[in-house]
Amino acid sequence: SGLEQAAEKVGIQKNDELKPPYCLGLVLSNEAVSEAERKREEAGGRIDAHPVSRTLYDIGCLFLDNLFEGRPIQRFWFLETVARIPYFSYTTMLHLYESFGWWRAPELRKVHNAEEWNELHHLLILEALGGNLAWSDRFLAYHAAIVYYWFLLAVYLCSPRIAYQFMELLESHAVDTYGTFVQMNRARLKALPPPTIAVNYYTSSDLYLFDDFQMRTPGTRRPPCDSLLDVFQNICEDEGEHVKTMRACQEYAVQGTPVVSPHKEQATEPTPMTASEKRKLWQSWAAAVNEANCVLEDGDDL
């Protein structure tokens, strides 16, 4: 009936177990994710975040654990919807700074654009798996994204470092979550085919932006995409690269260390000239200019 369809869309009524993502048979344990995070922090991977950032992060994790219990694909879709937003906020503030003549960082904007492009394809993959079917999930995700966008604008205005640090917290959590998910569902994921959007993204001939958000030599990472297991392992590795990039952005904000495209690092730099070579080049140029501008009058000697 119409009422039953409406109830299913807003998540009031149980969804059809024969449709994705429910028919995929995938699981995720909140306790296992927390354990993975604890082990990472004990091994030296704890992020020394601002107390306010840590508190907001803990509240967000508690919210996700309770809202998406038993619904891992929907949880990932929600996370990827929100995960794109910081790069929109960062780019907005960088445009503002440049428009006012305060600060110009084109390479930073380029990196953020590549990061957002990567997160967009994570989102498209999860939509292909049915992660956005419930109206209630879409309502919460879109409104949370709007609030998050304006929140990060204010944070970035006060401290770009803290804004990047907060994103490092979220990306580290994503690594823990996806890693745990892969471990718990390895056999099942290996038996399932990858979505078309994932194959197109990870095996495309045009992977310039794919290389550009990573802190590694371009072309050294070309992941396989033969099963759903490959897809989620690739996403997990992507999130790990985002963690590295956010750390580099914090160093840029504090120390002024440039965050540049890895492609730029591969460019051939000209060999520096010695002082004598520069002098000879200048003399050659000066002689050419003098000869071109020399006009002899009648009676002048050469």
Side-chain angles (χ1 to χ4, degrees), residues 39-299:
K39 289 181 178 179
R40 168 176 57 82
E41 293 184 344
E42 287 183 351
R46 180 175 176 81
I47 299 168
D48 187 20
H50 189 279
V52 175
S53 298
R54 175 64 66 171
T55 300
L56 292 175
Y57 166 77
D58 291 338
I59 293 174
C61 290
L62 183 63
F63 169 79
L64 290 173
D65 289 347
N66 287 276
L67 183 64
F68 294 100
E69 177 71 33
R71 301 192 302 145
I73 298 299
Q74 294 91 327
R75 173 178 180 147
F76 293 145
W77 178 82
F78 182 94
L79 283 172
E80 296 297 346
T81 299
V82 175
R84 299 174 62 203
I85 298 304
Y87 306 119
F88 293 146
S89 299
Y90 301 157
T91 304
T92 297
M93 293 305 299
L94 290 170
H95 276 299
L96 178 66
Y97 291 162
E98 187 167 332
S99 299
F100 286 169
W102 295 346
W103 187 25
R104 180 175 295 166
E107 285 294 338
L108 203 56
R109 287 190 281 107
K110 185 178 181 180
V111 170
H112 292 332
N113 182 51
E115 289 175 305
E116 188 279 324
W117 185 252
N118 176 253
E119 297 287 12
L120 168 64
H121 283 82
H122 293 177
L123 183 66
L124 295 175
I125 290 169
L126 291 162
E127 288 181 355
L129 296 175
N132 65 330
L133 292 182
W135 179 88
S136 57
D137 291 338
R138 297 196 301 273
F139 180 88
L140 286 173
Y142 296 152
H143 285 78
I146 293 173
V147 173
Y148 192 33
Y149 172 80
W150 288 101
F151 167 75
L152 280 179
L153 288 182
V155 174
Y156 201 100
L157 181 63
C158 298
S159 174
R161 182 186 65 84
I162 292 179
Y164 288 131
Q165 188 182 72
F166 189 73
M167 190 57 183
E168 183 187 358
L169 272 174
L170 296 184
E171 296 290 9
S172 297
H173 177 74
V175 174
D176 296 333
T177 306
Y178 280 117
T180 302
F181 178 75
V182 167
Q183 291 178 3
M184 296 184 66
N185 300 276
R186 182 173 295 275
R188 180 63 177 164
L189 289 171
K190 192 172 184 179
L192 294 171
T196 302
I197 181 63
V199 176
N200 292 340
Y201 177 61
Y202 286 110
T203 63
S204 170
S205 60
D206 182 11
L207 289 175
Y208 184 84
L209 285 178
F210 180 76
D211 287 329
D212 222 30
F213 78 90
Q214 305 184 62
M215 305 299 291
R216 64 174 73 195
T217 304
T220 58
R221 181 181 171 225
R222 291 294 181 264
C225 195
D226 299 323
S227 66
L228 202 55
L229 175 62
D230 290 335
V231 173
F232 278 100
Q233 285 180 329
N234 295 343
I235 293 177
C236 186
E237 291 181 16
D238 290 348
E239 302 297 354
E241 292 296 325
H242 287 301
V243 172
K244 299 175 186 177
T245 306
M246 288 298 97
R247 290 173 183 165
C249 289
Q250 291 175 62
E251 293 177 1
Y252 183 88
V254 175
Q255 303 173 8
T257 306
V259 179
V260 300
S261 164
H263 294 274
K264 187 172 182 179
E265 295 176 357
Q266 299 300 308
T268 302
E269 298 292 340
T271 303
M273 298 177 65
T274 63
S276 60
E277 289 174 334
K278 291 180 181 179
R279 180 66 179 175
K280 289 180 181 179
L281 184 63
W282 181 87
Q283 289 175 337
S284 176
W285 171 80
V289 171
N290 290 335
E291 183 179 351
N293 293 331
C294 181
V295 179
L296 293 179
E297 300 292 342
D298 293 338

